[in-house]
Amino acid sequence: MGIELSKHYVLAAGGTGGHMVPAAALAEELTRRGHRVALISDQRGVRFPGLFDGIQTHVLPAGRFQAKRPQGWPSAVREMLRGRAMARELYRTFKPAAVIGFGGYPAMPALLAAFADKIPTAVHEQNAVLGRVNRLVAGRVDAIATSYATTERLAVKHEGKVHLVGNPVRDAVLALRTRPYPLLEEDGIFRVLVTGGSQGASILSQVVPDGLAMLPITFRRRLQVTHQARIEDIDAVRAQYAEHQIPAELATYLPDMPEQLAWAHLVIARAGASTIAELTAAGRPAILVPLPGATDDHQTANAREITKAGGARTIPQPEFTAVELAKQMQKLGLDPVALENAATRAQSVGRPHAVRDLADLVESLDSPVSRLPVGKAAPHKEAFA
């Protein structure tokens, strides 16, 4: 589905990878359809390498409202209003057909400006819990795109404008869906990918090397690890792997994540929205350790669908010890058939057409003739395949 007339769209997203990656995927799809796209974010968002090459970008002020620091709210309001005024000025020349928010406070000025100018709007929620900014604007936007069949903190009164599309991933990750699970021979190399998301995770650095060291010697000798770690942890983690004589490549950022996923037999990770979307798109089994301090515990909610399907095992962080990791690794890794089945089950809950369906929804926002019926789950039934 598509609209022949070229249009302008504004995408507004907070500066974390969880917001920026799906926004970048949508920008790529809309551009491919002949539209022009502009991005509104903060300084972090516009610095993501390679995500928005060739896309017009704007950094606008956006106050952050912290519950524990109400004394900062007046300043946050002033910044938000200043950002809204700047967005309205942009809209006068760019003339967007719709404005799409991806969560995070930097998205708020763009949406407030769209409300003021009566521009059609939608928000996309990457997590299984509706985020704070998306909750604040849910009553005013025209559509709410979700990534999970069940989204917590979503008011019943807004369900009529909800569209289940999934969480868009990059084309390079989506391409893995047609590639077979990497061959795992009984005595062959067992490749493990450890990632804590765009910022790394210290708990994985503290536990994983010692957990892998507890595996039986015949299993341990087969390991090949790629581990993304925080810059402050990386030297200590490298030393741990060397001490345990486990071959490991360490990096603070993995620009070739699709290729890393392609050869990984097992992923040990946080349960961020982008991580889950990529695991289910590619079909990779995982051991998930949700971030306990995540807002509304959304990472635990994110992990439920893939875990229930049998594509992952979830270990709460307080229970994530070297002994527990070794136990779960043996249950998964010593049975190649079970591991490949887990990969298939992970892929079964993926929504490979997320970016297409989100783009269809976006194109429909200012076109009453092609607008989706209220409450329609998704533009294409195969989005749930």
Side-chain angles (χ1 to χ4, degrees):
M1 178 170 127
I3 295 176
E4 294 182 2
L5 183 64
S6 176
K7 297 184 179 182
H8 293 184
Y9 293 101
V10 168
L11 310 186
T16 66
H19 299 309
M20 302 304 294
V21 169
L26 178 61
E28 186 175 341
E29 175 66 16
L30 290 173
T31 301
R32 188 160 43 226
R33 296 185 183 197
H35 302 305
R36 186 177 171 192
V37 177
L39 169 73
I40 289 177
S41 187
D42 57 11
Q43 290 288 356
R44 298 172 302 163
V46 299
R47 289 175 182 163
F48 269 81
L51 281 188
F52 287 91
D53 291 345
I55 298 295
Q56 178 181 334
T57 58
H58 301 269
V59 175
L60 300 187
R64 184 176 181 84
F65 297 86
Q66 297 176 305
K68 295 181 180 180
R69 297 188 67 253
Q71 65 272 22
W73 291 0
S75 175
V77 169
R78 287 193 296 271
E79 287 294 282
M80 196 73 71
L81 292 176
R82 191 161 69 92
R84 185 186 72 160
M86 293 171 68
R88 294 189 74 181
E89 186 62 31
L90 168 65
Y91 298 167
R92 288 189 185 97
T93 55
F94 191 70
K95 300 187 184 305
V99 176
I100 317 302
F102 285 83
Y105 281 104
M108 184 67 92
L111 290 168
L112 292 176
F115 298 152
D117 291 346
K118 295 182 170 51
I119 298 169
T121 55
V123 291
H124 178 269
E125 180 54 60
Q126 302 86 50
N127 293 299
V129 181
L130 199 66
R132 288 178 181 174
V133 168
N134 286 347
R135 289 203 299 269
L136 285 171
V137 301
R140 300 186 66 183
V141 297
D142 298 294
I144 300 171
T146 60
S147 301
Y148 295 86
T150 300
T151 303
E152 300 175 15
R153 304 297 295 272
L154 178 62
V156 174
K157 63 184 178 181
H158 300 321
E159 289 181 354
K161 53 184 169 183
V162 171
H163 304 265
L164 175 60
V165 299
N167 194 9
V169 298
R170 291 165 287 181
D171 286 347
V173 174
L174 202 56
L176 301 180
R177 199 168 180 86
T178 59
R179 291 172 60 172
Y181 180 74
L183 180 66
L184 182 59
E185 298 177 329
E186 188 172 337
D187 297 321
I189 294 174
F190 189 99
R191 299 184 180 92
V192 179
L193 172 62
V194 184
T195 174
S198 60
Q199 303 301 316
S202 290
I203 187 66
L204 301 183
S205 296
Q206 294 162 11
V207 172
V208 172
D210 291 340
L212 298 184
M214 290 182 176
L215 295 172
I217 185 66
T218 53
F219 190 4
R220 191 166 72 244
R221 284 176 175 168
R222 298 169 53 203
L223 295 176
Q224 174 65 55
V225 180
T226 297
H227 189 132
Q228 179 207 8
R230 291 177 180 269
I231 191 168
E232 61 267 28
D233 299 330
I234 197 166
D235 289 338
V237 180
R238 184 178 286 112
Q240 282 181 285
Y241 280 119
E243 180 183 345
H244 298 315
Q245 297 183 316
I246 297 174
E249 295 181 9
L250 280 292
T252 57
Y253 178 69
L254 298 174
D256 59 340
M257 181 61 79
E259 195 57 33
Q260 297 291 347
L261 277 173
W263 59 249
H265 293 109
L266 178 70
V267 179
I268 302 173
R270 287 295 198 195
S274 290
T275 297
I276 300 295
E278 292 181 346
L279 289 172
T280 57
R284 290 297 179 269
I287 293 174
L288 301 173
V289 186
L291 175 66
T295 305
D296 299 315
D297 197 21
H298 66 255
Q299 288 205 4
T300 297
N302 290 349
R304 285 179 188 143
E305 188 175 58
I306 185 175
T307 301
K308 185 177 179 180
R313 294 170 185 254
T314 297
I315 306 175
Q317 183 163 308
E319 301 170 21
F320 185 62
T321 63
V323 171
E324 182 63 22
L325 175 60
K327 183 170 70 174
Q328 297 297 337
M329 282 284 296
Q330 288 187 76
K331 287 181 180 179
L332 284 167
L334 295 179
D335 186 348
V337 175
L339 200 61
E340 192 163 350
N341 286 340
T344 300
R345 291 172 180 174
Q347 193 178 86
S348 73
V349 293
R351 294 184 172 85
H353 305 300
V355 70
R356 181 196 67 187
D357 292 345
L358 181 57
D360 286 352
L361 175 62
V362 167
E363 285 183 328
S364 77
L365 287 172
D366 73 324
S367 178
V369 173
S370 62
R371 188 185 294 272
L372 289 168
V374 171
K376 182 78 171 177
H380 298 274
K381 290 182 180 178
E382 60 263 39
F384 304 105

